[in-house]
Structure formats: structure tokens, C-alpha cells
Amino acid sequence: MRILLVADLHYSLPQFDWVAGVADDFDIVILAGDHLDTAAVADIRAQSVVVRKYFERLHNQTRLLICSGNHDLDSRDAAGEKIARWLKGQLNPGVLSDGDSVLLGETLFTICPWWDGPLTRAQIAEQLAVAAEKRSGAWIWVHHAPPDKSPISWGGARYFGDVELREWIEAYSPDIVVSGHVHQSPFVNDGSWVDKIGATWVFNAGHQYGAPPAHIIIDTSAGEAVWFSSAGSEIVQLGQPLQRPVPPLEALPEWLKAADRPRDPSLG
């Protein structure tokens, strides 16, 4: 299974265009939150209409998984907590989103919403507990904020990670957690795009301007993950201990050169 991970596109249409241009080469594309930009001139309601068109296009190309980020919140629920109502499944048919736990092939994917208060936080805790009962093979989480006290949540002066996420990782030991949110983590001293918490690999590609966006490609069959950015490229072996410093990518692995390979048939 080949997965493309990006996050924090923040209504950058050239970056969305780039993702759409390469999506056919991947079994799964994950957009890990902050699809919109609350600081942009365009109203977020108008932004959401455009971005949903990209979701539709990507869904027609491959399996698309999305989660909400803090820039995506457009409504309040009955308890007054902020939510991303425009990302609800019925508004984006076929797209896996907040609250979903779905088995794709032999891998269970659990997609968590951005939580703005204790009710949504408790819903995520329940979501993970229920999903844990269904786990039989690999388990991958999509959660916009990275875990606390990790290089992938380091902002250069302090951590900006989610304390509860780290606790959930320590409790359940998923195989992989993919995030975004902290733009600068891979580009500052003591930060990184990759870390391990116990046996769990955690990833945050970071944010850069222009196309292509910083992104991570994970191939579960090859057991490798590669980070591409304007600052360089690095690779990790998922079956080996994490090395620091992370080795640079010297040459494209053979599995990544095979862009025309057939899709994973187990995904349907």
C-alpha cells in the first residue's frame, strides 16, 4: 500500500493542484487537516466550496482520507464546541473523514476530528476504544495535531503538540500516526518530520509555500517512508530503529520509481 501524506494546504490552490496531479500514483491520499485558511481574504465558506471540489476530484482518482484542523472549524455543535461541519461525510460522499474507522485492505484507518473541548475529546477517546476492538492488523491514525513532547511538534521554542494524543498513543500503540499543524517542525533545530513513541511511528511533513507541498510517501509493503521538501529529502526504514540524524535520501527507492504499478487490489 502506497500512501501520500500532506497537511496544512491552507487553501493553496497550486498545492491542491499538485496533489490532484499525482493522486493516481497512490493507493491512498491523506490530507491531514487545515484545508482552509482563516487568514485569507476569501471567506471560509467560499473556500470550502472550492476545496470540496478538490475532494470530489481526488475521490474519483483514489481513496481519500481527510481530517479537520483548527482552520477548518465553521460551526458549533449543541454543546457549543467548534466543529468542521462542512467536512461531514454526507457533504463529501465517498470521502473518509472525521469519526470514521475503516478497514482498507488489512489496515485499519481511524480518522479523528480536531477537538475544541471536552465533549469532542471524549468522543475521540471512545472512537479509539471502539476501533481498538476491531484491530486485527496494522492500525493508522489521522489526527491533525501531532503528539506532545515530540520533535514533530517542536516549534523552535516550545512544543505545540496534543497531550491527550500522546497518552492515547502510549495506551494503544498504533503502528502509524500522521499529523500536521506545526508547520516549522521539520525545518528547525531539534525538530523533525518523523519520530517514534514506543513502537509507533509518528509523522508531520511540515508546511512550505508553493508547489509541491512538503509531503511524505509511505509504502507499507516496502516498509519505508520518504520525506520530500524544499529543505531536502530523508528516508526511514519502518522495520528498523529510528536513526538520528535521519539519513538523507541518496537515490529514489525502486518502489517509488514504479509510478505505473497496479493499485493494491485489496482496497477494492
Side-chain angles (χ1 to χ4, degrees), residues 98-241:
D98 290 354
D100 287 331
S101 282
V102 179
L103 191 65
L104 299 179
E106 298 180 352
T107 301
L108 179 63
F109 288 84
T110 297
I111 307 171
C112 303
W114 177 270
W115 64 268
D116 183 55
L119 179 63
T120 309
R121 180 180 61 203
Q123 290 171 348
I124 296 173
E126 176 65 16
Q127 176 188 11
L128 295 175
V130 171
E133 295 296 320
K134 299 191 297 183
R135 179 185 190 180
S136 59
W139 194 9
I140 297 177
W141 298 359
V142 183
H143 186 286
H144 179 60
D148 194 37
K149 299 296 188 293
S150 167
I152 74 166
S153 63
W154 177 247
R158 67 181 183 90
Y159 294 101
F160 291 89
D162 188 306
V163 174
E164 283 78 6
L165 176 61
R166 188 176 184 103
E167 293 173 352
W168 291 326
I169 291 171
E170 292 171 347
Y172 292 109
S173 296
D175 295 272
I176 293 173
V177 177
V178 298
S179 301
H181 187 52
V182 188
H183 295 183
Q184 60 270 50
S185 293
F187 307 109
V188 296
N189 290 336
D190 301 320
S192 184
W193 61 278
V194 60
D195 193 22
K196 285 194 81 174
I197 299 175
T200 302
W201 288 92
V202 294
F203 297 102
N204 169 17
H207 171 79
Q208 66 187 30
Y209 293 101
H215 59 281
I216 296 168
I217 298 174
I218 302 168
D219 192 295
T220 58
S221 298
E224 294 182 327
V226 186
W227 174 63
F228 293 95
S229 79
S230 58
S233 302
E234 297 176 347
I235 186 169
V236 293
Q237 311 290 328
L238 301 180
Q240 302 294 327

